[in-house]
């Protein structure tokens, strides 16, 4: 093996974000426009006191997509508008992808998205793992019944905003670990039986 093959800098993620702060978007909901409550995701940075989570080999796609969304703008993320529509509907299948639902009683009337730059804290005695600085308004306040949002969802073929909850299919509520373990056990058993 040639020495240049060992030090080649080519790669999909040749340079990583985070040196000047890790860009993250935070979705916040409100009933009155004064008190904003963030939606917490399972794996991506959000809550400043939440330690980074170990996820390998699992790929938390929504959290990963949120990170990519922070690297561009809302105009390049049509799926994000659909996500907001589902949050306005308190959709069970979408809420299941989150840490918890801050609007269990009723969905928010307004949603906004703020872009932050996250940094690790350096002091071991601090409670917080992260510190953050506001970068920009990623999406200004949008209301639940906003006619532009409703029209966009309809024309794009996304589900409309409703008060009716969408049901979770039984297969969606089974943790991936149980599926993988079941698959391994079934295959191992089949191999033993076929010998």
């Amino acid at each position: 093996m040639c020495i240049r093959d060992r030090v080649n800098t080519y790669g999909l993620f040749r340079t990583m974000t985070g040196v000047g702060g890790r860009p993250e978007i935070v979705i916040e909901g409100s009933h009155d426009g004064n008190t904003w409550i963030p939606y917490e995701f399972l794996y991506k940075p959000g809550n400043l006191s939440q330690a980074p989570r170990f996820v390998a080999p699992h790929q938390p796609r929504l959290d990963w997509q949120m990170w990519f969304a922070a690297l561009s703008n809302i105009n390049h993320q049509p799926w994000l508008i659909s996500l907001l529509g589902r949050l306005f509907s308190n959709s069970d299948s979408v809420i299941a992808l989150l840490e918890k639902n801050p609007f269990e009683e009723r969905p928010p009337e307004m949603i906004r998205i703020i872009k932050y730059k996250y940094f690790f804290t350096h002091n071991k005695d601090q409670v917080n793992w992260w510190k953050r600085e506001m970068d920009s308004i990623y999406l200004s306040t949008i209301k639940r019944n906003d006619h532009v949002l409703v029209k966009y969802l309809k024309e794009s073929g996304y589900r409309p905003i409703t008060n009716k909850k969408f049901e979770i299919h039984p297969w969606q509520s089974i943790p991936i670990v149980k599926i993988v373990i079941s698959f391994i056990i079934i295959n191992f058993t089949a191999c033993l039986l076929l010998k």
Side-chain angles (χ1 to χ4, degrees):
M1 177 180 245
C2 181
I3 187 70
R4 73 177 158 77
D5 293 332
R6 292 190 205 138
V7 295
N8 189 348
T9 60
Y10 174 79
L12 181 61
F13 294 107
R14 185 178 145 203
T15 59
M16 294 300 292
T17 60
V19 175
R22 177 189 171 111
E24 290 289 342
I25 55 176
V26 176
I27 300 174
E28 299 175 329
S30 176
H31 289 299
D32 59 10
N34 294 319
T35 304
W36 292 91
I37 304 169
Y39 283 93
E40 294 293 339
F41 288 75
L42 291 169
Y43 302 102
K44 77 178 226 49
N47 181 347
L48 300 179
S49 63
Q50 178 65 50
R53 296 190 177 167
F54 183 76
V55 296
H58 173 61
Q59 176 63 53
R61 290 188 181 173
L62 178 58
D63 298 56
W64 190 54
Q65 283 297 110
M66 292 290 288
W67 174 61
F68 275 108
L71 298 174
S72 66
N73 64 47
I74 192 74
N75 297 326
H76 295 99
Q77 308 300 328
W79 64 269
L80 192 51
I81 302 299
S82 174
L83 175 69
L84 299 182
R86 303 293 296 279
L87 292 175
F88 274 129
S89 297
N90 252 354
S91 168
D92 286 339
S93 58
V94 170
I95 297 299
L97 299 172
L98 305 176
E99 180 77 29
K100 65 178 181 166
N101 182 4
F103 298 95
E104 286 183 45
E105 299 295 320
R106 64 185 170 107
E109 292 300 317
M110 295 165 247
I111 288 179
R112 69 181 182 186
I113 304 177
I114 309 294
K115 183 176 177 181
Y116 292 96
K117 295 253 180 160
Y118 276 70
F119 304 88
F120 278 112
T121 55
H122 297 291
N123 189 347
K124 293 179 183 178
D125 298 327
Q126 283 185 315
V127 175
N128 293 337
W129 281 81
W130 305 97
K131 60 182 178 178
R132 70 182 182 191
E133 298 170 0
M134 185 176 163
D135 184 51
S136 61
I137 303 291
Y138 191 83
L139 177 69
S140 57
T141 303
I142 188 165
K143 294 187 177 180
R144 175 182 166 83
N145 57 357
D146 183 280
H147 71 283
V148 175
L149 173 64
V150 172
K151 181 180 177 186
Y152 177 82
L153 292 172
K154 183 178 181 181
E155 289 178 356
S156 300
Y158 293 122
R159 287 185 175 168
I161 298 170
T162 66
N163 290 327
K164 178 184 145 196
K165 287 191 169 192
F166 297 103
E167 296 298 319
I168 296 180
H169 299 289
W171 62 268
Q172 289 177 312
S173 62
I174 300 172
I176 189 70
V177 175
K178 288 181 181 178
I179 294 171
V180 170
I181 290 172
S182 298
F183 180 77
I184 291 169
I185 291 171
I186 290 168
N187 281 324
F188 181 74
T189 306
C191 288
L192 289 177
L193 293 174
L194 292 174
K195 282 187 176 184

